[in-house]
Amino acid sequence: MSSHLKVRKVAVLGAGVMGAQIAAHLVNANVETLLFELPAKEGDPNGNVNKALDGLKKLEPAPISSPARIAYIQPANYDQHLEKLRECDLIIEAIAERMDWKSDLYRKVAPYVGAHAIFASNTSGLSINQLAQAFPENLRHRFCGIHFFNPPRYMHLVELIPCTTTEASLLDQLETFLVSTLGKGVVRAKDTPNFIANRVGVFSMLATKHHAAAFNLGFDTVDALTGRYLGRPKSATFRTLDVVGLDVFAHVVNTMRENLTEDPWHKHFELPSWFQYLVDQGSLGQKTKRGVYQKIGKEIHVLDLHTREYRLSDAKVDDGVKDILRERDWAKKLAGLRSNQHPQAQFLWAVFRDVFHYCALHLEAIADNARDFDFAVRWGFGWDNGPFEIWQAAGWQQVAGWIATDISAGKAMAATPLPAWVTDPARLAVHGMHGSYAPASNTYQPRSALPVYRRQLYPDRLLGEVRVYGETVFETDEVRLWHNGDSIAILSFKSKMHTVSNEVLDGILRAVHEAEAHFSALILWQTEPPFSAGANLLQLMQGMQEPAPDEGLFGRFKQAASRVKYTIAGGGGLGEIVNAATGNVPKVEAVVAKFQQVSQRLKYAQVPTIAAVDGLALGGGCEFSIHCTRIVATLESYIGLVEVGVGLLPAGGGCKEMAQRAAAEAQRFANDNRVDVFPYLRKYFQNIAMGEVAKSAEMAREMGYLRQSDRIVLNRFELLHIAKEEARALNATAYRPPLHQRQIAVAGRTGIATLQAAMINMLEGNFISEHDYNIGSRVAETLCGGDVDAGSLVDEQWLLDLERRNFMELLAHFKTQDRIEYMLKNGKPLRN
């Protein structure tokens, strides 16, 4: 039996920001969870926990995969329910970061901890060995640190920190549970203050603050320089500080100042006077609506360092610096920053230099190897690359030389020389195919050999690791069909955002044909998210850039669109785009028909087809998925039919499939053979007419995009493994495709009239426009099976023809053309 099955029930102690969200993520993963808090002084003793559970509903982004799941968290308090701890296999303490409070709690709950339970503290930086002292000696071998990052649902990192007595096999079991059940990336950290990610992340922020002051750069300018240009989150530095909370950040810095007195950078572990000024005023960031930044109306204002007043944020990045930052090659990027004399460039080089210097000096003391360091920073702070990866990509010895030069010139924040292992002339990299460098043993350590990692066919990779995606069956400019030496074919798209062009459609048809001839199953899986941002004749994804000239029919559409001067009068617009791109409309209709053909081929293929969905599956991407034999989706999949956003309706079989699902549900609950489809259809109509996107795979199931038989996976790196297992399970029962349904009950003209009546009220109340009403009526007509009696029986082709006709008629409408043009120009929908 695998070890992670032992965690049946979990208790979380403390219903604060982190505790409540950890509990939420546990129920996201179907783990039975108790959430403890102090009893309320009056009324219901569980009042405090219930208040915290209510708070979960209001948080954005949502910590829970579906609002309905909050009911699964069992509220508890320390007065009445300590006995319940005996049933728990894992207890996570997540109360405030105070050693004395934590110690008191441990003494209180210790008598109720089961003999086989693991007890873990979610501290962000306190000493695990010191915390263990408050724990009974006979239980210390079951004690460790488990540090989730905020928000726990979305941040991949969990740091596991043993104390000197922690039993090794327990940590392995806990790691297995965290990776597979909760979908996390686990890094083992040593018991040093703030562990790995916060130690590096916080130092990086302190270095940024130090050099921003030295080069006299405003907070907004620093954020403009240190966000996406460096492969870091948009919130960059000071906006991140507002999100984290200035009080929380101050606490972490104080932990460093008090516990790292020997650190060569110790004098920089302090907060400037402006920081204290904000904290004293109660301006703690996002939670108090004011911190470094303040939103006034729609405008963003930023604190001015000199006047201590808020001013309108108007950061400008120097054009020369911008050119350097756009460089993809780290060697050229760092060389450019170092040699450019502009204060913005000098500031960025100084921050990189000092962070590299800090990481090199502390690697041996705070982590086992360079891999754990880089993954901790990537997964915990959302950087695209960790500090050692960037250094290695820029040329290890070259950068080491630059750092050494700056240290001896007195430019660096600390005068301590680089450690000998860094400057060893033989060292060209810290990450390679054999593993990552570990200074303590002077070896390259391979990845963890825990069995759970065999489920990750393609784990998150580091620079320096070469990745081979199996053996190619065929490859075009748009798609690649390949396999891993077994009988399962995998199709991956190569288009930007994995959008669907005419060539992608051809590729899928060819892949289904190949799979039927030579393989036992076909999986649609992308090497990186998203699954597919859709298509339906135009790149529907918001904010798409211009496609490359070889992006097929849809690319030509888009380029034609950018060339055509939009002449709305006389119904120009998309008509011209269509002509400029294709010469005539029939070709467009042929592509729509081909789209429908692809969906039907995926549904009725002779081998099982599996959509392995991660990230966006919108429009056409959603349509392909719902036609496959199974969807295996990561929890963070955002699925929906969004065509109405550009004035169209789903015409790749999406409407047909939803009408069919409503009919099947009605059939299941029919009495006296009277099948009333309409009540079941209403939900699907609303999803499509409102362009609703599910904010998790769990929500997609509630909306009807995922069926009961579809699977939800919490670790995206296990997605392909589970899709393959699903294919094997289907084949184990001698898979046959479904039979063609020739009798689908539809809601007919009375269904259409009922939906239109509801929309007329919205139209008269000015909630929707005339064109919204027109689109909605066509969605209604398609879903209800057209102008026929309620309860009439139609076949799939009937519904597909309706779908295609309504799509083409909407496409010819000038208001839809306006919407498409607006989306192309502005990357957001037009309400007209």
Side-chain angles (χ1 to χ4, degrees), residues 722-733:
I722 292 167
K724 285 185 160 203
E725 291 297 311
E726 199 61 33
R728 290 186 184 108
L730 286 161
N731 280 321
T733 52

Side-chain angles (χ1 to χ4, degrees), residues 508-814:
I508 300 174
L509 289 173
R510 185 172 163 193
V512 174
H513 182 74
E514 283 284 344
E516 288 176 331
H518 305 293
F519 294 91
S520 66
L522 173 65
I523 296 176
L524 304 186
W525 176 80
Q526 316 298 8
T527 57
E528 297 287 331
F531 176 74
S532 171
N536 282 10
L537 296 182
L538 287 158
Q539 323 295 65
L540 289 180
M541 191 47 206
Q542 300 189 354
M544 291 288 296
Q545 280 93 31
E546 275 302 299
D550 63 350
E551 274 209 66
L553 176 63
F554 302 109
R556 292 201 294 280
F557 254 66
K558 225 179 140 190
Q559 286 172 329
S562 66
R563 287 197 301 273
V564 171
K565 287 290 166 250
Y566 305 118
T567 52
I568 307 312
L574 198 84
E576 286 180 52
I577 298 178
V578 169
N579 292 329
T582 64
N584 55 14
V585 177
K587 276 195 188 165
V588 181
E589 185 156 9
V591 175
V592 181
K594 190 191 291 182
F595 216 115
Q596 294 181 334
Q597 181 199 354
V598 168
S599 292
Q600 294 295 83
R601 281 293 275 132
L602 287 168
K603 184 170 183 174
Y604 294 109
Q606 292 301 310
V607 295
T609 55
I610 312 250
V613 175
D614 182 25
L616 300 175
L618 302 178
C622 173
E623 289 178 298
F624 289 158
S625 308
I626 61 180
H627 282 83
C628 285
T629 319
R630 283 281 185 284
I631 297 176
V632 178
T634 60
L635 184 71
E636 300 312 326
S637 294
Y638 308 95
I639 301 172
L641 296 168
V642 295
E643 288 78 355
V644 295
V646 287
L648 294 167
L649 53 71
C655 291
K656 178 269 306 176
E657 193 60 24
M658 294 301 140
Q660 216 169 339
R661 288 186 186 185
E665 287 163 33
Q667 191 72 50
R668 216 173 308 143
F669 301 110
N671 45 13
D672 311 331
N673 292 331
R674 277 204 313 278
V675 179
D676 182 8
V677 181
F678 187 76
Y680 302 96
L681 195 68
R682 194 185 267 126
K683 163 175 87 174
Y684 296 117
F685 170 76
Q686 192 173 338
N687 290 347
I688 293 174
M690 307 288 286
E692 301 257 358
V693 176
K695 292 195 169 70
S696 71
E698 201 59 58
M699 299 283 282
R701 196 184 310 272
E702 289 171 18
M703 289 166 70
Y705 291 129
L706 264 62
R707 297 151 296 195
Q708 280 320 110
S709 55
D710 293 327
R711 307 274 174 243
I712 297 177
V713 177
L714 270 90
N715 195 319
R716 54 175 285 248
F717 297 106
E718 292 186 355
L719 181 63
L720 184 57
H721 165 79
I722 292 167
K724 285 185 160 203
E725 291 297 311
E726 199 61 33
R728 290 186 184 108
L730 286 161
N731 280 321
T733 52
Y735 177 77
R736 300 282 310 162
L739 294 168
H740 284 269
Q741 235 182 316
R742 294 191 162 72
Q743 298 194 313
I744 302 159
V746 292
R749 63 179 79 86
T750 50
I752 300 171
T754 311
L755 292 171
Q756 283 179 326
M759 287 192 291
I760 282 174
N761 287 337
M762 293 177 75
L763 181 61
E764 286 175 353
N766 279 328
F767 294 109
I768 60 173
S769 68
E770 291 271 0
H771 194 50
D772 290 330
Y773 175 79
N774 177 18
I775 299 161
S777 296
R778 289 172 181 278
V779 173
E781 187 198 354
T782 308
L783 284 174
C784 294
D787 188 13
V788 295
D789 293 338
S792 295
L793 300 175
V794 302
D795 64 8
E796 283 183 285
Q797 196 54 52
W798 173 272
L799 293 167
L800 288 170
D801 292 345
L802 267 175
E803 213 180 58
R804 199 169 64 252
R805 173 174 65 74
N806 277 305
F807 181 90
M808 293 309 296
E809 287 173 10
L810 282 171
L811 190 56
H813 196 292
F814 74 95

Side-chain angles (χ1 to χ4, degrees), residues 443-560:
T443 58
Y444 282 78
Q445 280 186 4
R447 285 176 177 252
S448 166
L450 276 183
V452 68
Y453 291 110
R454 287 184 218 137
R455 298 165 60 86
Q456 300 190 11
L457 304 181
Y458 296 98
D460 207 351
R461 101 178 123 167
L462 289 158
L463 281 176
E465 292 180 327
V466 181
R467 175 155 294 178
V468 182
Y469 292 106
E471 204 173 306
T472 304
V473 179
F474 75 81
E475 187 165 10
T476 68
D477 286 346
E478 301 273 317
V479 302
R480 174 173 178 253
L481 186 73
W482 53 285
H483 65 86
N484 272 335
D486 54 19
S487 67
I488 297 173
I490 302 161
L491 184 72
S492 303
F493 300 177
K494 293 160 65 181
S495 51
K496 183 162 192 177
M497 300 286 284
H498 305 131
T499 48
V500 183
S501 64
N502 194 19
E503 289 76 4
V504 169
L505 295 176
D506 290 336
I508 300 174
L509 289 173
R510 185 172 163 193
V512 174
H513 182 74
E514 283 284 344
E516 288 176 331
H518 305 293
F519 294 91
S520 66
L522 173 65
I523 296 176
L524 304 186
W525 176 80
Q526 316 298 8
T527 57
E528 297 287 331
F531 176 74
S532 171
N536 282 10
L537 296 182
L538 287 158
Q539 323 295 65
L540 289 180
M541 191 47 206
Q542 300 189 354
M544 291 288 296
Q545 280 93 31
E546 275 302 299
D550 63 350
E551 274 209 66
L553 176 63
F554 302 109
R556 292 201 294 280
F557 254 66
K558 225 179 140 190
Q559 286 172 329

